[in-house]
Amino acid sequence: MGTLKIEIGDLHFSAHWEADAPQTRDAIRRLLPLTSQLIHCRWTGESTWIPFGDYRPGIDYENHTSHPAPGQLALYPGGISECEIFVPYGGATLASKVGQLAANHFATIDPDEGWADRLREVGRRCLWEGAQDISIVEVE
């Protein structure tokens, strides 16, 4: 299984797939390489997100959580809110204007030196500077 390389502006991360989310992993792989805008969440707390609007990946809940830890990437497959990928950098409860959500935890950022500080910087930039460019690719 490959590794995800994530670039958010000039900040770099690597992540590994979560074995308990094979449907979600396959759905995300169909989107790769992914280039988008990462924006700050409105209702979720210390998290950022990539909105996908009306796109539906056609998967069920698996390895889902409403409280991902910093660096736990999670896909909400759509339903009562739009499809989205959450990238939490601190305390988060996944939510939308219609209430609490659960999303599929599909990958986790690998801890290396300074990763938590870089992740908090992502949150600061999205909150105070606006949307940030994000790129996600899979490498062997």
Side-chain angles (χ1 to χ4, degrees):
M1 210 176 322
T3 298
L4 294 172
K5 295 294 179 189
I6 303 167
E7 294 182 9
I8 304 169
D10 62 344
L11 303 173
H12 302 267
F13 303 89
S14 64
H16 63 273
W17 295 108
E18 291 296 326
D20 292 337
Q23 291 178 45
T24 308
R25 178 192 62 229
D26 292 345
I28 295 294
R29 277 186 167 147
R30 289 191 293 272
L31 298 172
L32 299 179
L34 176 65
T35 302
S36 189
Q37 293 282 293
L38 187 68
I39 58 178
H40 202 274
C41 290
R42 291 172 278 201
W43 299 284
T44 293
E46 294 178 320
S47 185
T48 57
W49 64 302
I50 303 169
F52 289 102
D54 293 333
Y55 170 74
R56 297 292 183 266
I59 60 173
D60 293 323
Y61 287 109
E62 61 178 1
N63 199 36
H64 54 286
T65 181
S66 291
H67 305 283
Q72 291 184 340
L73 283 62
L75 173 75
Y76 175 71
I80 61 172
S81 186
E82 67 184 289
C83 181
E84 54 201 303
I85 293 176
F86 291 98
V87 182
Y89 63 90
T93 298
L94 304 183
S96 75
K97 63 183 176 183
V98 295
Q100 188 168 331
L101 303 174
N104 298 348
H105 171 204
F106 67 88
T108 301
I109 290 176
D110 297 320
D112 60 16
E113 187 171 335
W115 77 276
D117 291 334
R118 291 193 315 275
L119 199 54
R120 281 190 296 275
E121 178 61 14
V122 166
R124 187 198 67 75
R125 289 180 186 181
C126 287
L127 181 61
W128 296 106
E129 299 174 13
Q132 302 291 303
D133 292 332
I134 183 170
S135 170
I136 304 173
V137 298
E138 185 175 22
V139 296
E140 290 301 318

